[in-house]
Amino acid sequence: MVKAGKQQVNVGMVGYKFMGKAHSNAYSRVNMFFPDAPAAPVMKLICGRDRNGVQQAAEQFGWQGYVTDWRELLRGDEIDLVDINAPSDVHKEIAIAAAQAGKHIFCEKPLALSLADSREMFQAAEEAGIKHMVGFNYRFAPAVQLAKKIISEGRLGTIYHFRAWFLQDWILDPEFPLVWRLQKAVAGSGSHGDLGAHLIDLAHYLVGGMEEVVGMSETFVKERPVPSSMTGLSAKGSADAPKGKVDVDDATLFLARFAGGALGSFEASRFAAGHRCKNAFEINGSKGSIRFDFERLNELEVYFTDDAADVQGFRRVLATDPAHAYMDAWWPPGHTIGYEHTFVHEMLELMQAIHEDRQPKPNFADGVNCQQVLEAVELSVSERRWVKVNEL
Ligand code: SOE
């Protein structure tokens, strides 16, 4: 129930698999844990093409109703906010139509299949005057917010290095089926756009814009069985299924020079055996260093050069105190939070921004900036040269 007097934001959501579940959880939790937020989402309609699947998701996730055609979300005034978490190939069409219908938009990353498409989406959203947000959820881990605070307050001094890895291993088996995340026409790119996009956004958020990049990329398994069904990151197939071509990267690595002078290195791979979801970065500055690893997302390791000589070293900060972003809304200090909380914090920012009549952060401009670096790296890989980001 939304408190009397609180602004209600009626949500219509397209997609109901992995991200659909994460977003549904966030919409249903945000009002309960952040009762003072000036606006609250109301889970009106969920949309998916498969009637049985979407009906089941509506019941399981707590949506008031469901539809099988996203255009129904845009008719009339019932829906205020359209949440797009279906595969990347449909982001652009739905987002532009939603903007033109005057709906606010939350869109999962990567924003689009290409830089040109992301720019069109940004332009449509700006012209319509709606609020737009892109789903870079890792910004919203309290430990990442602490990293941002430490850097913004100058406590690391001049930033020299940003190095980051996003490592997974879920497609290591060559017989793992050709799911949509491995198809260029649907996903845009492979580990680069799926995992590297998060690293690029974190780099932009924490260190700033990049001037030039040089990359390398590989598809280790070039053909895979066509799946009979897929959901989230899992898929079913049979041993005798025909094979299809993998036309995205399995791993992409790149170096970057930041506008502020720092040097960056980035590694995104789905072939890093033993790493399930290692989204990690380390930042070194003139006064110290910090490091984060999503597999231990409550922690930030910090090192300050002005610590007394006899206790110099990295210390582990458990970012669960009221001193840490969002934590006074959750549990007592030391009671850790998880992946799903990052989405709750994301939706809180969206609700606050809608109420305050400002753009949320990160928004489509951040989505475009990320897409620009993604594409600059792709150009660098295909032309085997350094590429200036503003060439694109
Ligand atoms: C799968 O590779 C995936 O779930 C990505 O799609 C997400 O964006 C990332 O957060 C975790 O890995």
Side-chain angles (χ1 to χ4, degrees):
M1 272 280 283
V2 175
K3 252 200 267 174
K6 190 179 260 217
Q7 182 180 356
Q8 288 196 8
V9 178
N10 292 332
V11 188
M13 187 174 86
V14 190
Y16 61 92
K17 300 274 172 82
F18 177 18
M19 280 304 106
K21 199 183 210 177
H23 292 195
S24 298
N25 176 66
Y27 290 126
S28 63
R29 291 286 153 258
V30 68
N31 193 37
M32 172 175 162
F33 283 90
F34 295 91
D36 296 335
V42 178
M43 295 164 71
K44 281 280 172 191
L45 292 171
I46 184 171
C47 172
R49 281 170 301 188
D50 170 25
R51 181 172 295 279
N52 289 337
V54 74
Q55 180 180 9
Q56 200 185 324
E59 285 163 16
Q60 186 183 338
F61 302 161
W63 290 82
Q64 291 177 11
Y66 68 90
V67 294
T68 54
D69 182 347
W70 56 266
R71 289 168 192 83
E72 287 185 47
L73 304 178
L74 309 188
R75 282 193 203 114
D77 293 336
E78 189 184 10
I79 298 299
D80 304 310
L81 165 69
V82 174
D83 178 317
I84 308 166
N85 61 72
S88 315
D89 60 330
V90 298
H91 289 185
K92 178 182 162 188
E93 185 186 9
I94 302 177
I96 291 179
Q100 287 168 351
K103 312 293 182 192
H104 304 308
I105 306 170
F106 181 97
C107 186
E108 258 309 327
K109 48 57 63 177
L111 193 53
L113 295 181
S114 68
L115 176 60
D117 284 0
S118 69
R119 283 181 170 148
E120 273 186 60
M121 290 164 70
F122 177 51
Q123 196 184 338
E126 286 286 290
E127 278 170 12
I130 52 104
K131 306 291 176 272
H132 44 84
M133 188 169 191
V134 63
F136 290 122
N137 60 303
Y138 296 102
R139 287 191 185 202
F140 295 91
V144 173
Q145 296 274 316
L146 176 60
K148 173 76 177 167
K149 182 165 174 270
I150 289 172
I151 294 170
S152 308
E153 290 172 357
R155 289 151 78 187
L156 287 192
T158 306
I159 305 299
Y160 296 130
H161 291 289
F162 177 89
R163 65 181 69 82
W165 318 258
F166 204 145
L167 308 178
Q168 296 184 338
D169 65 355
W170 57 284
I171 58 168
L172 199 55
D173 178 358
E175 293 306 312
F176 185 88
L178 188 62
V179 293
W180 71 261
R181 280 182 167 78
L182 308 185
Q183 300 168 27
K184 190 173 169 60
V186 189
S189 66
S191 61
H192 190 44
D194 189 33
L195 307 179
H198 283 300
L199 301 180
I200 293 165
D201 182 66
L202 286 170
H204 282 158
Y205 182 53
L206 297 169
V207 181
M210 293 172 219
E211 258 172 12
E212 54 178 354
V213 293
V214 65
M216 66 199 288
S217 185
E218 187 55 72
T219 304
F220 299 113
V221 174
K222 299 191 173 17
E223 285 195 329
R224 289 180 179 273
V226 175
S228 50
S229 68
M230 49 181 138
T231 179
L233 296 191
S234 59
K236 289 202 180 87
S238 66
D240 54 355
K243 293 218 168 175
K245 185 168 181 280
V246 179
D247 55 1
V248 299
D249 58 295
D250 287 333
T252 293
L253 281 55
F254 70 97
L255 300 177
R257 191 177 290 279
F258 286 87
L263 303 182
S265 66
F266 298 74
E267 200 177 324
S269 176
R270 291 165 168 161
F271 275 69
H275 293 290
R276 299 294 194 258
C277 198
K278 190 179 191 67
N279 173 4
F281 61 78
E282 177 168 313
I283 302 175
N284 311 119
S286 56
K287 295 187 190 169
S289 296
I290 50 177
R291 49 188 192 215
F292 171 78
D293 175 355
F294 167 69
E295 289 182 350
R296 307 180 70 119
L297 95 163
N298 288 275
E299 299 171 15
L300 187 73
E301 286 190 89
V302 300
Y303 168 81
F304 293 116
T305 54
D306 61 2
D307 279 347
D310 57 354
V311 291
Q312 288 266 330
F314 275 93
R315 73 176 81 120
R316 180 187 69 107
V317 175
L318 192 58
T320 57
D321 285 7
H324 301 120
Y326 308 113
M327 287 312 298
D328 53 354
W330 295 103
W331 317 115
H335 294 67
T336 52
I337 60 166
Y339 174 61
E340 67 275 27
H341 297 75
T342 61
F343 293 90
V344 180
H345 303 157
E346 197 172 54
M347 297 320 174
L348 174 66
E349 162 66 4
L350 180 57
M351 290 303 122
Q352 285 172 334
I354 289 174
H355 185 78
E356 290 161 12
D357 193 20
R358 62 169 171 85
Q359 283 304 347
K361 287 290 285 174
N363 56 53
F364 282 14
D366 301 284
V368 170
N369 290 341
C370 174
Q371 209 89 38
Q372 193 177 22
V373 174
L374 287 171
E375 225 159 276
V377 172
E378 284 167 349
L379 184 62
S380 156
V381 171
S382 68
E383 298 189 354
R384 299 175 75 86
R385 66 174 176 92
W386 280 90
V387 170
K388 297 265 181 225
V389 172
N390 66 10
E391 272 181 41
L392 297 155

